[in-house]
Amino acid sequence: MRDWPYAEVVVDVPTEPGRPRTPTPDAPPPEAFTYAIPSELAADVHVGSAVRVPFGRQRLIGIVVGLAARTDLQRVRAIEAVVDPVPWLTPAGVALARYVSRYYIAPLFACIQPMLPPGVQTAAPRRFRRTDAPPPFDADPAVLALVGAFGRTRMRPEPALRKAAGPRRYAAAVAAALAAGLIVQVDDAPPTSARKPARWARALVDVAAAVDARLAAVRPSPTADALAWLRRPDIVLPSAAELKAATGADARTIAKLVAADLVVVASPAAATDAPVAADAILLQVHGARARAAEHALRRTTAHVEALAYIAAHGGAAPAAAITRETAATAATLNVLAEAGLIALVHADPTTTAAEIAVAETPPPLTDDQAAAWAAIVPLLDGDRGRDRRVGDTGSGDTGAGDTGAGDTGAGDTGAGDADAIIGSVDAAPVALVHGVTGSGKTELYLRAIARLAARGRQTIVLVPEIALTPQMVDRFSARFPGRVGLWHSEMTPAERRAAWHAARAGAVDVVVGSRSAIFSPLPNVGLIVVDEEHADAYKQDRTPRYHARDVGIARAGLEGAAVILGSATPNVTSYWKARRGVWTLIELPRRVVAADPRGAGAENAAAMGELPPVRIVDMRSELRVGNTSVFSRPLLAALQHTLLAGEQAILFLNRRGTATFVQCRDCGHVQTCPRCDAPLTQHVAGLDEARRGRVTARLVCHACGHTEAPPMLCPACASTRIRYVGLGTERLERETQAAFPGVRTLRWDADTTDGRGAHAALLARFSSGQADVLIGTQMITKGLDLPLVTLVGVVSADTALHFPDYRASERAFQLLSQVAGRAGRSAAGGQVILQTYNPDHPAITYAARHDFAGFYTREIAFRAQHGYPPWRPLWRLLWVTEQGDAAALPAATAYAQALRDAALRLGLPYTDVLGPAPAFFHRLRGRYRWQILLSSPEGYTLLAAAPPPGGWRVDVDAVDVL
């Protein structure tokens, strides 16, 4: 007898209704089905293998999660085929899926699903190929119909043949056609057609001075040459004679620069139609505006935009993507290649930017970074590795019992190693790097990756937003060319499949991506980095409701890896663990700033700097003096100064649209979504359409996407006195353009980034100096490195305050601190102006002082007083139903009482059952939402005693209670 004649296979089917799941982390759900392993497949079936199995009348693709020597089942069906000779999951991956299933109380297959190849169909229809054999004259009509379904196509899937032959006669017709040799079953994947190589552009120079000098060589312009000389940082208050001596510029050239507001002549002869005296002093404009003007004079704006796009995509990008997403053409790229700024190469279509980018030399560490690195090295060099991984063997015997699912039995999915799994997930060494914005955390990540890559181990790097991915990939690809993989939701299915297979084959050393990248199939993970670890984007809001940071720590424990968490504003619970010694706490208290980016002589030197000063503006005082504008007087003056200096500014407002709600002035009625308990937001078409008289306003629900026209009359009282209240990014953009005619604005929110590559294109345009003011929502608050930004204006700091959520203050503090960190990241300095009606709120005052320690001390005391995390785990039980409140409330109340009774019966200490209560967003997409909050260290025990009825969703370690 073979050692492992039976396999435990998990397939994508609902859990057996008669066998309810036990919500405990140390008891697996009964979701695996036992199949016999045919002798011809025995060598290819392993833990983690993808196999095709019969399930009732279906053929499904399942994952082997265990092997067994015997079974007590009377009837066991056999595995039909192994889909891929290389297992889709490693044993450690299977163990991780089991842990996620148990900890987050989720179906096991739902936890396996993120680890599977993208686009795989788990319901696996058979495919058949038509042979050249002619059908016999006496063939059954169903066989003839089946053969006729092929037509001119040689390959057909099973559903098409079933439809042709008829469901009742299909099985017999297929059997007869196979026996007669008319068709053959095909198990291999369909062939892919060869594709010709793609043209790529690879950046060769990334210093602004070198870029401008080389463009000047191929696109000369006397006026642009004069401007280039004037904006050099070593040229201060030159005379007209000095300019002429250096560049040959005459009075006419100076007059052009004066007319364009790029130069001011400090003499009575400042008029553009008057001659300029040789001794006249010239006042220059520096920064992004001057550089953009120089490119416009040389007609190289499209060239610079293409270079910025390439940089935003990791130092290399397909030529087709560049010409599609920017103003560049094929001729533009040829000019850049002629100037030696890019190299045009041909590569396979599956090639990534990382495989084409140019390597970078690591910079020296600052004193703070060196001290942090000394603390990280012991965590990386600990004695951990393959020898202590779990899940490498079969699970032992399977249990008895008939599940009724195609005569297969449900057995033990490997509960025997539960203790090993639970013990291993807490074994990973974790370092929390608390570094202020711009303190050089990324350089520590890069050094750690290089140290482990030298030993043949890989790294997963998580970022919370897609917007951060281009810049992060740029940094990593520059250091590890050809060894970086990418993973995020904007990738095409083909790109995702290529990235998955490259990771599984170990062809990359680093995978950079968003939340789901934590499940990348890297074979030998040695490090997991979670950048901006405080971000709520790492928590998934659908089954399985996992937190990527915590799953990363669990995976590191299972695979013998280390974890580095980084943030300028760590999650309060994370910082609490680090302060208590559970994790290693590493501090980077000072910012690393680059040299002044203005002018052609900027270098890449770095020095230590201070965080930008933050000024709190009380908007109540502005109203008292009659200022009803969206801009306070200090912010208006700061914006004017920034624009005159040719620098860039960011305006942050965490609200989309033009007006946040629509209200009747007579009766007070607010226009709400018919499917949600949410006010509709007014959106107006873009400024270009408005100027052409084609303004199209609409009301949009940001919860479900419902859209309707603005009302002419109040639907409640028929009044015409309709008022549009509030402020969004659309209106803020219009107000900015009205206050500063000619200002170049970019808006970065969900309405402007719905297309593929939109984030990278916006970042490229702004970082290349094609806009003066960036207006955006929370997308612009995290991680972006924009050295030309010297002013950040928070238009309303109050949008994140006063929510009925214990983490409201923490979220507000993090948001304000992060957006403030976008200013002053170079030697040019910067400032932050924060407008608020709550100037004394702790989240605002601590953020203005960049005082995380002070905020943490206050917040942790508040949570200890009320038993909030980290002192006690918080569970959210959410019931979503289409029934009205009249039916939902009694049922929710009954379950809440059942939980209280069970807690009292079991004598569970420190346990509170809060609710039921309507969720903050009570009606969403036509369904009513009721919730119960469970604050208890014994949540699993309580839910085992009072299991949730059907329809309840369980969110373990909830981060959102709205």
Side-chain angles (χ1 to χ4, degrees):
M1 177 181 289
R2 298 183 307 275
D3 291 337
W4 306 111
Y6 300 101
E8 300 167 6
V9 181
V10 176
V11 292
D12 188 12
V13 294
T15 305
E16 180 73 16
R19 304 180 68 175
R21 302 181 64 253
T22 304
T24 60
D26 56 353
E31 298 178 50
F33 300 90
T34 303
Y35 287 87
I37 303 176
S39 57
E40 64 271 18
L41 300 179
D44 296 326
V45 176
H46 310 280
V47 172
S49 292
V51 295
R52 190 178 69 237
V53 296
F55 195 89
R57 295 185 177 182
Q58 307 176 71
R59 262 64 177 180
L60 303 179
I61 290 180
I63 302 297
V64 176
V65 296
L67 301 172
R70 65 179 184 85
T71 180
D72 295 332
L73 298 175
Q74 299 300 315
R75 295 183 59 191
V76 178
R77 302 174 77 177
I79 294 174
E80 291 185 347
V82 176
V83 176
D84 191 331
V86 181
W88 283 357
L89 273 66
T90 63
V94 173
L96 180 64
R98 285 176 173 163
Y99 172 77
V100 173
S101 172
R102 298 167 195 180
Y103 189 85
Y104 292 102
I105 313 180
L108 182 54
F109 193 88
C111 303
I112 290 175
Q113 186 81 51
M115 306 182 191
L116 302 183
V120 66
Q121 297 295 323
T122 53
R126 292 183 294 176
R127 294 185 307 119
F128 297 91
R129 179 170 56 84
R130 175 73 169 91
T131 67
D132 295 328
F137 292 104
D138 57 347
D140 185 271
V143 173
L144 295 176
L146 186 145
V147 172
F150 284 88
R152 296 182 179 180
T153 304
R154 304 294 292 181
M155 203 84 67
R156 281 289 186 184
E158 190 171 39
L161 302 185
R162 184 185 298 274
K163 181 178 179 180
R168 293 184 178 180
R169 308 178 67 182
Y170 168 73
V174 165
L178 287 170
L182 303 177
I183 61 174
V184 293
Q185 184 173 327
V186 180
D187 292 331
D188 58 335
T192 56
S193 59
R195 294 159 61 186
K196 65 180 181 180
R199 192 180 188 219
W200 281 70
R202 180 181 67 204
L204 300 177
V205 176
D206 61 356
V207 181
V211 168
D212 294 340
R214 296 194 186 191
L215 286 177
V218 296
R219 303 298 288 267
S221 164
T223 307
D225 291 342
L227 179 58
W229 185 84
L230 285 171
R231 70 183 188 88
R232 282 172 47 181
D234 57 323
I235 303 299
V236 180
L237 300 180
S239 67
E242 291 173 332
L243 175 62
K244 183 175 182 179
T247 67
D250 55 14
R252 183 178 300 177
T253 300
I254 298 176
K256 290 181 180 179
L257 297 175
V258 171
D261 291 329
L262 296 168
V263 170
V264 175
V265 179
S267 73
T272 58
D273 57 351
V276 178
D279 59 349
I281 300 300
L282 307 180
L283 308 177
Q284 318 103 292
V285 172
H286 288 284
R289 181 165 169 261
R291 186 166 184 252
E294 181 186 340
H295 298 150
L297 288 169
R298 297 191 193 281
R299 292 179 295 172
T300 55
T301 300
H303 303 71
V304 177
E305 186 177 348
L307 289 172
Y309 185 89
I310 295 170
H313 284 75
I322 300 171
T323 55
R324 182 178 65 247
E325 303 291 344
T326 73
T329 63
T332 305
L333 298 181
N334 291 335
V335 170
L336 291 174
E338 177 187 350
L341 294 169
I342 66 171
L344 295 173
V345 297
H346 288 83
D348 185 84
T350 60
T351 302
T352 64
E355 296 173 301
I356 297 180
V358 179
E360 171 191 82
T361 302
L365 296 176
T366 65
D367 292 342
D368 290 347
Q369 288 175 319
W373 177 242
I376 290 174
V377 167
L379 305 180
L380 304 177
D381 294 346
D383 186 16
R384 303 176 312 278
R386 294 178 181 271
D387 57 326
R388 58 167 298 279
R389 297 184 185 187
V390 302
D392 289 326
T393 62
S395 59
D397 297 343
T398 59
D402 184 2
T403 66
D407 295 328
T408 61
D412 182 1
T413 61
D417 63 356
D419 293 338
I421 294 175
I422 300 302
S424 296
V425 294
D426 295 325
V430 181
L432 174 62
V433 181
H434 172 216
V436 299
T437 54
S439 58
K441 295 184 289 292
T442 304
E443 181 58 32
L444 298 178
Y445 306 158
L446 292 167
R447 300 252 173 168
I449 293 168
R451 192 177 187 90
L452 290 171
R455 304 174 193 166
R457 306 201 70 181
Q458 298 101 30
T459 299
I460 297 173
V461 179
L462 300 183
V463 293
E465 301 282 354
I466 296 174
L468 299 181
T469 308
Q471 279 200 344
M472 188 67 78
V473 171
D474 184 14
R475 293 289 307 275
F476 284 81
S477 296
R479 191 69 58 87
F480 309 106
R483 297 152 63 190
V484 179
L486 190 60
W487 188 270
H488 60 74
S489 60
E490 280 196 356
M491 298 171 68
T492 65
E495 290 171 338
R496 280 176 165 261
R497 285 194 295 270
W500 187 91
H501 285 286
R504 184 182 67 160
V508 294
D509 290 333
V510 188
V511 170
V512 181
S514 49
R515 180 177 60 224
S516 60
I518 194 59
F519 298 110
S520 295
L522 291 169
N524 191 14
V525 174
L527 176 66
I528 294 174
V529 175
V530 184
D531 194 36
E532 308 290 351
E533 67 86 28
H534 65 276
D536 288 346
Y538 288 128
K539 176 73 170 179
Q540 180 156 285
D541 60 358
R542 61 184 183 276
T543 303
R545 291 174 171 79
Y546 68 90
H547 198 294
R549 177 195 59 222
D550 301 331
V551 171
I553 294 172
R555 178 171 183 175
L558 292 169
E559 300 200 40
V563 179
I564 299 178
L565 312 176
S567 177
T569 55
N571 178 276
V572 167
T573 298
S574 297
Y575 197 71
W576 178 80
K577 290 182 178 180
R579 288 281 296 267
R580 292 170 67 93
V582 179
W583 298 341
T584 300
L585 178 60
I586 298 173
E587 302 275 6
L588 291 174
R590 295 184 296 172
R591 166 176 279 193
V592 181
V593 296
D596 191 334
R598 298 173 297 182
E603 298 176 355
N604 287 338
M608 306 309 296
E610 300 295 330
L611 291 168
V614 180
R615 178 177 179 181
I616 298 176
V617 178
D618 188 349
M619 295 301 286
R620 298 171 300 180
S621 300
E622 294 293 310
L623 287 177
R624 282 195 288 268
V625 298
N627 181 16
T628 58
S629 168
V630 299
F631 299 113
S632 64
R633 292 168 298 169
L635 180 55
L636 201 65
L639 266 173
Q640 185 174 14
H641 174 79
T642 300
L643 296 176
L644 287 176
E647 297 164 349
Q648 291 179 312
I650 288 177
L651 294 179
F652 169 69
L653 177 63
N654 207 25
R655 288 285 185 272
R656 293 159 50 201
T658 300
T660 51
F661 64 94
V662 182
Q663 187 177 40
C664 174
R665 292 188 178 184
D666 289 335
C667 71
H669 172 78
V670 174
Q671 196 79 358
T672 59
C673 174
R675 303 176 61 207
C676 309
D677 282 339
L680 296 175
T681 300
Q682 182 197 30
H683 286 253
V684 179
L687 297 177
D688 292 337
E689 289 82 357
R691 293 191 186 100
R692 292 194 293 266
R694 297 202 298 266
V695 178
T696 56
R698 65 195 191 281
L699 302 183
V700 179
C701 175
H702 290 168
C704 72
H706 168 79
T707 301
E708 63 183 53
M712 301 294 291
L713 302 175
C714 172
C717 69
S719 169
T720 59
R721 290 163 51 84
I722 305 296
R723 180 187 181 193
Y724 293 87
V725 185
L727 174 69
T729 49
E730 283 185 6
R731 181 183 162 196
L732 178 59
E733 184 176 27
R734 292 206 304 271
E735 296 280 355
T736 303
Q737 296 210 352
F740 303 97
V743 68
R744 301 169 304 164
T745 61
L746 275 179
R747 180 160 53 89
W748 194 337
D749 57 25
D751 299 319
T752 61
T753 55
D754 56 350
R756 174 175 164 80
H759 292 281
L762 279 170
L763 179 59
R765 290 179 61 191
F766 190 65
S767 59
S768 64
Q770 297 181 52
D772 306 310
V773 180
L774 177 65
I775 299 168
T777 56
Q778 63 182 356
M779 292 181 179
I780 65 174
T781 65
K782 303 183 186 75
L784 296 178
D785 189 5
L786 303 167
L788 290 173
V789 173
T790 58
L791 172 67
V792 167
V794 179
V795 177
S796 176
D798 306 324
T799 55
L801 302 175
H802 310 307
F803 281 98
D805 187 336
Y806 78 97
R807 294 188 62 232
S809 290
E810 180 186 10
R811 286 193 177 100
F813 172 82
Q814 291 168 340
L815 199 62
L816 297 175
S817 297
Q818 290 287 340
V819 73
R822 300 314 108 206
R825 297 174 76 96
S826 74
Q831 62 173 320
V832 181
I833 295 179
L834 196 155
Q835 299 182 166
T836 177
Y837 288 95
N838 298 271
D840 299 322
H841 193 284
I844 291 176
T845 57
Y846 283 115
R849 297 197 298 266
H850 305 290
D851 185 6
F852 174 81
F855 175 80
Y856 168 80
T857 300
R858 183 184 186 279
E859 184 69 12
I860 202 69
F862 163 76
R863 297 192 186 184
Q865 180 182 359
H866 296 281
Y868 290 134
W871 302 104
R872 271 192 263 166
L874 184 68
W875 303 56
R876 186 191 192 198
L877 309 178
L878 182 68
W879 191 23
V880 181
T881 177
E882 295 182 356
Q883 299 177 357
D885 288 337
L889 178 57
T893 302
Y895 181 52
Q897 188 58 48
L899 288 171
R900 292 188 180 96
D901 293 343
L904 184 63
R905 183 174 67 252
L906 297 173
L908 300 179
Y910 308 109
T911 296
D912 292 324
V913 178
L914 309 176
F920 181 77
F921 300 106
H922 179 44
R923 191 162 62 99
L924 200 62
R925 298 179 181 89
R927 293 180 291 180
Y928 295 84
R929 304 162 79 243
W930 287 83
Q931 68 181 18
I932 297 172
L933 298 183
L934 174 60
S935 176
S936 174
E938 302 291 342
Y940 292 106
T941 302
L942 182 56
L943 291 184
W952 284 89
R953 301 173 182 174
V954 180
D955 187 1
V956 183
D957 296 335
V959 301
D960 182 7
V961 296
L962 298 178

